[in-house]
Amino acid sequence: ANTSCKDFTDLLEEFGFAIRDCGSHGHKVASHPAIQMKIEDSANYNCGHNPGKNIKIGYVKKFVRITNAYENILRAYLK
């Protein structure tokens, strides 16, 4: 969780996520073409809390849960 927002965004894009800005300053929404995410997955994060600082650990944990839940789909997509 010791990563900048840019590095975190780059990593998600390497996994195939598309990242888009969503209205408020720093708020981002991630989607993936191979995953029909449930609303409770809420694939979003915010880079505006501490601009220029590391992303909050809660966002990293959220995406760890998402990637674990959809691991097989992501592995097949990345082949």
Side-chain angles (χ1 to χ4, degrees):
N2 191 17
T3 187
S4 69
C5 188
K6 181 191 179 326
D7 290 343
F8 185 67
T9 299
D10 290 347
L11 179 64
L12 291 176
E13 289 175 337
E14 285 180 35
F15 274 92
F17 285 89
I19 310 299
R20 64 182 169 85
D21 291 326
C22 187
S24 66
H25 176 70
H27 186 238
K28 311 238 183 250
V29 175
S31 60
H32 197 284
I35 299 172
Q36 188 110 67
M37 284 189 242
K38 300 172 188 152
I39 191 115
E40 62 267 17
D41 288 336
S42 184
N44 61 64
Y45 58 104
N46 195 317
C47 296
H49 292 295
N50 296 311
K53 304 281 182 173
N54 293 337
I55 193 161
K56 287 188 170 188
I57 186 81
Y59 295 123
V60 174
K61 287 180 178 181
K62 179 191 305 188
F63 278 92
V64 168
R65 284 192 303 273
I66 290 169
T67 55
N68 285 339
Y70 297 103
E71 180 179 1
N72 293 337
I73 293 168
L74 289 170
R75 284 185 186 275
Y77 179 84
L78 294 172
K79 284 186 177 182

